[in-house]
């Protein structure tokens, strides 16, 4: 992985106050203060869990047509991002991995249940709190269907949940898992959702899908000493924000990276978007968006910058009658757009990966997690809470309560 800061050189200078802040931040990271267990992969996942996951998934893969992953936010985006980035565009591979519980569409659920009819379905429901509305609404529906459809539900449903013995509350999902004696994986309590891709939450669906998670983990471990590189990225983003660049387009040139961009968006928005601070990250798939958002980035309000993700080597095809391949053309456009947008006042930071491999993606995600956390500390906010997400949840809860009360009266 290489980062090119050429277009943002003027945002790289570091003040002595910032250097002091960084020294303090490094101490926090070294000490692994609260919610920092994700920094050590060994604290995310044990070797015995890895072995057990592989064993269980071997059995599942033999008999499974559809592996359904139910979860939202940090309990789904990590595995989806990695899975989509590393899977072929067109494939009929089994098991088919399908995601649910990441929204509240009735038609999605209805069509999903119809689609699952007659197929061998296994489910992994993932929720650290064990209470999340979208996850639980979908899971209850699907679990009911599983019970009606199969006699061996206990083998088919796996629950990934927070550690109730370490303070994560004993939730309704935990109670159900205990009552029904379902296999459970435990997400370590000192690791928040959006930092949980290297825990059972992110890894189990990946093992089932056949992704080489050993390489994925090795990639993350190779970045264990990335603090200085991650702070460089965090500092440049901070300086851009201070000078009015408050919208960041996370730009991709390979469509299968869309969910990686969504993971990036969640990581940075939920980590840093608080106390009226933080950059708004938006997902920008190119070259598609050159015919859409591209106009704004080149020529609209000067509040934007880009983080561009480049994959150097991918499968390729030669263009007919041209002396250039399709990927060479894609890279040519990427470089010229970065140049043109920077010239227009939307500077680019380019992160280049050699290839789309589990190792490279593991390294990238770890690097970004470290940078998001450091950036959060630089903004003097708590990188690991998400108080803004709670407010709507409370309103929904109250409204649901009052609807149920009124129904009870009728
Ligand atoms: O990053 C986070 O903490 C959140 O995005 C959560 O992952 C998300 O809200 C889902 O929470 P839970 O795993 O408790 O269902």
């Amino acid at each position: 992985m290489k980062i090119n800061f050429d277009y943002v050189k003027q945002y790289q200078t570091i003040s002595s106050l910032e250097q002091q802040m960084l020294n303090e931040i490094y101490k926090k990271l070294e000490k692994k203060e609260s919610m920092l267990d994700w920094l050590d992969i060994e604290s995310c996942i044990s070797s015995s869990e890895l072995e057990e996951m592989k064993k269980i998934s071997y059995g599942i893969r033999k008999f499974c047509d559809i592996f359904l992953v139910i979860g939202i936010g940090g309990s789904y985006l990590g595995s989806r991002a990695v899975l989509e980035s590393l899977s072929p565009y067109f494939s009929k591979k089994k098991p088919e991995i399908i995601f649910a519980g990441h929204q509240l569409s009735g038609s999605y659920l209805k069509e999903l249940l119809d689609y699952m009819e007659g197929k061998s379905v296994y489910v992994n429901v993932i929720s650290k709190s064990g209470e999340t509305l979208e996850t639980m609404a979908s899971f209850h529906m699907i679990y009911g269907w599983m019970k009606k459809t199969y006699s061996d539900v206990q083998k088919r449903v796996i629950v990934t949940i927070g550690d109730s013995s370490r303070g994560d509350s004993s939730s309704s999902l935990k109670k159900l898992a205990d009552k029904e004696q379902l296999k459970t994986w435990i997400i370590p309590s000192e690791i928040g959702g959006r930092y949980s891709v290297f825990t059972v939450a992110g890894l189990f669906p990946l093992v089932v899908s056949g992704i080489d998670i050993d390489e994925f983990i090795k990639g993350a471990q190779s970045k264990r000493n990335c603090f200085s590189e991650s702070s460089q990225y965090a500092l440049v983003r901070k300086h851009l924000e201070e000078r009015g660049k408050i919208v960041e387009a996370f730009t991709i040139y390979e469509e299968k990276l869309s969910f990686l961009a969504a993971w990036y968006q969640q990581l940075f928005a939920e980590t840093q978007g608080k106390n009226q601070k933080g950059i708004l990250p938006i997902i920008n798939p190119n070259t598609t968006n050159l015919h859409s958002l591209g106009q704004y980035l080149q020529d609209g309000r000067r509040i934007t910058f880009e983080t561009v993700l480049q994959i150097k080597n991918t499968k390729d095809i030669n263009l007919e009658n041209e002396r250039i391949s399709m990927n060479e053309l894609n890279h040519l456009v990427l470089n010229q757009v970065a140049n043109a947008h920077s010239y227009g006042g939307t500077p680019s930071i380019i992160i280049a990966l050699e290839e789309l491999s589990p190792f490279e993606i593991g390294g990238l995600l770890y690097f970004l997690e470290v940078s998001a956390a450091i950036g959060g500390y630089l903004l003097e906010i708590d990188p690991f809470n998400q108080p803004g997400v709670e407010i709507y949840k409370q309103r929904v809860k109250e409204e649901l309560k009052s609807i149920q009360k009124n129904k009870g009266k009728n």
Side-chain angles (χ1 to χ4, degrees), residues 387-398:
V389 178
E390 301 307 320
I391 296 167
Y392 93 90
K393 282 188 186 166
Q394 197 49 39
R395 298 204 175 164
V396 171
K397 231 186 220 169
E398 279 159 21

Side-chain angles (χ1 to χ4, degrees), residues 282-299:
I282 57 171
I283 300 169
N284 187 34
N286 272 356
T287 62
T288 316
N289 268 9
L290 290 176
H291 304 262
S292 158
L293 276 192
Q295 169 61 37
Y296 194 102
L297 293 171
Q298 183 72 52
D299 207 19

Side-chain angles (χ1 to χ4, degrees), residues 29 56 65 84 107 125 136 198 237 266 275 332 404:
L29 300 182
I56 294 178
D65 296 320
E84 306 249 342
S107 57
V125 56
M136 293 311 290
F198 298 103
R237 289 179 87 257
Q266 190 225 358
N275 293 0
L332 183 149
Q404 267 149 9

Side-chain angles (χ1 to χ4, degrees), residues 72-75 127-130 132 135 193-194 266 270 386 393:
I72 195 166
S75 286
S127 176
K128 192 173 181 222
S129 65
T132 302
T135 309
R194 56 191 172 276
Q266 190 225 358
E270 274 196 346
Q386 53 282 330
K393 282 188 186 166

Side-chain angles (χ1 to χ4, degrees), residues 193-205:
R194 56 191 172 276
Y195 292 83
S196 70
V197 65
F198 298 103
T199 72
V200 282
L203 292 178
F204 187 54

Side-chain angles (χ1 to χ4, degrees), residues 51 57 82 92-93 97 132 155 173 180 200 204 207 256 260 307 309 314 316 335 360 386 397 401:
E51 281 318 304
S57 71
V82 179
K92 286 198 171 146
K93 224 176 91 185
I97 313 281
T132 302
K155 277 196 205 146
L173 182 56
E180 304 278 309
V200 282
F204 187 54
V207 190
K256 61 167 71 170
L260 198 141
T307 291
L309 183 57
T314 55
D316 201 3
N335 287 320
E360 288 279 279
Q386 53 282 330
K397 231 186 220 169
K401 240 189 210 161

